[in-house]
Amino acid sequence: MRIRKVLSVLIIAAAIFSSSCCSNNEKQSTQKAKNVILLIGDGMGPAQVYSLIMTSHEKTAFQRFPYSGFSITKSASNEITDSAAGGSAVANGNKTKNYMVGMTSDSIPVPSMLDIFAEQGKKTGVVVTCAVTHATPASFIAHNINRKNNEEIALEISNRENLNVLFGGGKKYFTERKDKQDLLNKMWDNGWNIYDSLSQIEDNNAKTMVLTCNKHMVKAPDRGDFLPKATAKAIEMLDNEKGFFLMIEGSQIDFAGHANDSATLVEEMRDFNNTLNVVLDFAEKDGNTLVVVTADHETGGLTLIDPDRKYTRTDFKFSTTSHSAVFVPVFAYGPQAARFSGIQDNTEIFNKIMTIAN
Ligand code: MG
Ligand code: ZN
């Protein structure tokens, strides 16, 4: 008698558990995302993420993500990609040659996910700590045969109509140009508000560009909390009933890797982590936002080693001042985030985001 009672309670509990479990799974597998926030840690391989976890007293933002996987970063031309081909593969779903932005390997311009979302009526934005013409942002907002053509990329950006928010550096490519044009004046005439600090923004609805410096911003922690603050401001400006797409780059994780500077690397990771927390806090409240974090490639060939075979110390060891071929992590939160589990090509990140947000 008692056994039967216990059994029936168990069966009811199992039924309740399985139904709530299945309906959640179902919701997870079909819910479309209204907003997409993509964060790229330039040069952020597994060891870069672990270096943050290892030196943090609190749980990191990376550990808040329910799903993670890996991305294979090689380009159409090289096993080891640069940021142009690595960023473009994620931005538009095509493998291209190193140095090319927003184009196929046959030099045909292709729309990025930002271009497509803008076309569909979503608001769009880009937030970086480097020049806004640099390879990663350019992969989303420009199309050029060579990432080094900063002035051409600035010209293309100045002619864009469907970009709402652009925060970063790189003023000189708009004002100190070989063709003597002042692109900032032209953009003002075309309805842009342009400032040199976030605090000057008055109208959240106007197309707004903030260029804080001539080229790249100073490294962390010297630039303060620009990236998390700019991210919060961009989300506030972009959030609307049709949804938005925002790309945020931890641009200088890569710079610290090239410099083999472990102290700065950890500071850059901490700054990116603070930014991730801002994004996740919004996404949790919103409930309709897909958040994807990945890298374009790893920089520095970083490992965390036992230098004397005694297991008493952990040292940072870089094996190169260039990029490496190792796969990079992917973290996902929000509608259909489970799709980003496993090992995927960087181009699949584009395909998955487009499927989930359309
Ligand atoms: Mg970059
Ligand atoms: Zn690099």
Side-chain angles (χ1 to χ4, degrees):
M1 194 60 183
R2 195 185 279 166
I3 287 174
R4 201 187 271 172
K5 223 177 205 173
V6 169
L7 259 182
S8 64
V9 166
L10 275 178
I11 287 164
I12 291 166
I16 291 169
F17 178 76
S18 70
S19 74
S20 72
C21 153
C22 290
S23 65
N24 274 347
N25 277 349
E26 215 169 281
K27 194 174 170 216
Q28 175 72 24
S29 69
T30 58
Q31 188 193 346
K32 295 285 180 180
K34 182 176 109 176
N35 307 315
V36 176
I37 304 179
L38 173 65
L39 297 107
I40 296 182
D42 196 319
M44 185 185 74
Q48 280 77 358
V49 177
Y50 193 69
S51 72
L52 173 78
I53 293 173
M54 187 176 78
T55 56
S56 294
H57 301 295
E58 292 163 7
K59 190 173 154 186
T60 68
F62 293 93
Q63 291 158 289
R64 292 174 64 182
F65 285 86
Y67 298 101
S68 55
F70 293 100
S71 165
I72 294 172
T73 67
K74 67 177 177 183
S75 71
S77 57
N78 303 80
E79 182 65 49
I80 298 178
T81 187
D82 79 329
S83 290
S88 294
V90 175
N92 66 47
N94 292 276
K95 293 267 187 191
T96 192
K97 294 177 188 160
N98 286 12
Y99 300 103
M100 293 170 79
V101 287
M103 285 185 172
T104 66
S105 54
D106 303 321
S107 313
I108 297 163
V110 273
S112 69
M113 58 174 78
L114 184 145
D115 293 323
I116 296 167
F117 286 132
E119 195 66 33
Q120 292 170 352
K122 290 190 192 295
K123 289 195 171 184
T124 59
V126 168
V127 175
V128 299
T129 63
C130 58
V132 296
T133 56
H134 208 237
T136 311
S139 299
F140 290 82
I141 55 178
H143 311 82
N144 201 288
I145 193 124
N146 194 327
R147 58 180 289 179
K148 291 176 183 166
N149 294 332
N150 285 287
E151 293 186 11
E152 286 181 17
I153 291 167
L155 181 64
E156 185 177 351
I157 293 170
S158 74
N159 287 326
R160 285 194 73 100
E161 293 190 343
N162 52 10
L163 179 64
N164 302 90
V165 164
L166 181 57
F167 299 159
K171 194 187 214 166
K172 70 172 187 170
Y173 302 116
F174 292 80
T175 55
E176 299 167 30
R177 299 170 53 82
K178 282 190 212 88
D179 64 11
K180 303 284 182 225
Q181 282 195 74
D182 186 335
L183 300 183
L184 298 189
N185 272 341
K186 188 183 83 179
M187 289 172 79
W188 271 108
D189 291 343
N190 290 335
W192 282 84
N193 286 351
I194 301 166
Y195 306 112
D196 52 25
S197 84
L198 296 167
S199 60
Q200 292 167 295
I201 298 172
E202 285 173 357
D203 181 358
N204 274 359
N205 293 312
K207 291 186 290 183
T208 303
M209 183 163 75
V210 173
L211 300 180
T212 65
C213 56
N214 249 340
K215 199 176 172 193
H216 306 313
M217 290 179 206
V218 296
K219 64 188 181 184
D222 303 342
R223 67 171 175 270
D225 55 0
F226 174 86
L227 194 61
K229 270 217 173 113
T231 296
K233 186 65 184 170
I235 291 171
E236 179 193 324
M237 295 173 74
L238 295 174
D239 193 15
N240 77 103
E241 70 280 358
K242 285 188 175 168
F244 67 87
F245 170 78
L246 175 61
M247 195 286 286
I248 302 153
E249 185 194 20
S251 314
Q252 300 198 26
I253 299 165
D254 172 74
F255 297 6
H258 283 293
N260 287 187
D261 177 348
S262 56
T264 303
L265 175 71
V266 171
E267 291 294 342
E268 288 292 346
M269 286 300 302
R270 215 171 288 294
D271 184 54
F272 194 56
N273 184 64
N274 294 339
T275 306
L276 284 177
N277 276 322
V278 169
V279 169
L280 285 175
D281 289 348
F282 168 80
E284 280 177 4
K285 263 190 238 136
D286 180 70
N288 282 310
T289 301
L290 173 66
V291 182
V292 179
V293 186
T294 191
D296 46 359
H297 54 74
E298 194 274 346
T299 306
L302 177 64
T303 55
L304 303 167
I305 61 153
D306 169 16
D308 47 17
R309 294 191 69 176
K310 288 181 181 155
Y311 309 112
T312 52
R313 272 172 45 212
T314 309
D315 281 2
F316 286 71
K317 187 166 179 104
F318 293 95
S319 55
T320 178
T321 55
S322 184
H323 301 170
S324 77
V326 294
F327 54 18
V328 294
V330 182
F331 303 89
Y333 173 90
Q336 305 187 50
R339 285 177 182 260
F340 295 89
S341 300
I343 297 175
Q344 58 220 297
D345 235 313
N346 51 6
T347 52
E348 289 177 60
I349 296 172
F350 167 87
N351 295 331
K352 290 173 185 179
I353 289 175
M354 297 319 292
T355 304
I356 297 167
N358 273 298

